[in-house]
Amino acid sequence: MQPQNNHINYIEFKANDLELVKAFYINTFGWQFTDYGPGYTAFSDSGLEGGFEKTDDNITNGVLVVLYHNNLEVIQTKVEAFGGRISKEIFSFPGGRRFQFIDPSGNELAVWCETHPE
């Protein structure tokens, strides 16, 4: 299924111990995992794809909802125009780019797009 603009596309959690959290979700729910270096693992077979990012911080609200949009610059301008505050500027990661923002209620979300080969 192709990502669609403005739809929730991915959900990201924080975890202090990636191996422990992977074992929990594999054994409890049968999820599959793909590691992307020592600090990140992505999951599938859960109904919605997502991942866990390693952190040493205490986790208060460890969920990051990730939306998709094929033009980050356009949607970032709209986020800011309607009261959102950018918390992480656009950055690249394997397979894409994204930014994070705080909505007017204080929730942090992200928007990503695919990196297309030139």
Side-chain angles (χ1 to χ4, degrees), residues 1-4 7-9 47-49 68 112 114:
M1 185 170 163
Q2 286 290 92
Q4 295 184 10
H7 283 207
I8 294 173
N9 177 256
L48 178 67
E49 291 186 0
Y68 178 86
W112 84 286
E114 296 166 306

Side-chain angles (χ1 to χ4, degrees), residues 72-74 76 86 88-92 97-100 111:
L72 289 185
E73 290 74 16
V74 166
Q76 180 174 326
I86 303 305
K88 282 191 181 177
E89 294 292 334
I90 295 173
F91 65 93
S92 296
R97 299 183 318 134
R98 83 178 199 197
F99 70 91
Q100 291 172 211
V111 182

Side-chain angles (χ1 to χ4, degrees), residues 47-73:
L48 178 67
E49 291 186 0
F52 287 91
E53 178 184 29
K54 174 139 179 39
T55 183
D56 293 325
D57 297 336
N58 288 331
I59 300 170
T60 302
N61 180 6
V63 179
L64 180 68
V65 173
V66 182
L67 306 169
Y68 178 86
H69 199 283
N70 62 8
N71 190 321
L72 289 185
E73 290 74 16

Side-chain angles (χ1 to χ4, degrees), residues 12-33:
E12 196 167 275
F13 297 90
K14 301 284 186 192
N16 296 124
D17 184 328
L18 292 180
E19 293 306 315
L20 182 65
V21 79
K22 284 172 28 181
F24 173 80
Y25 284 99
I26 288 168
N27 292 316
T28 306
F29 299 108
W31 293 6
Q32 301 296 311
F33 285 86

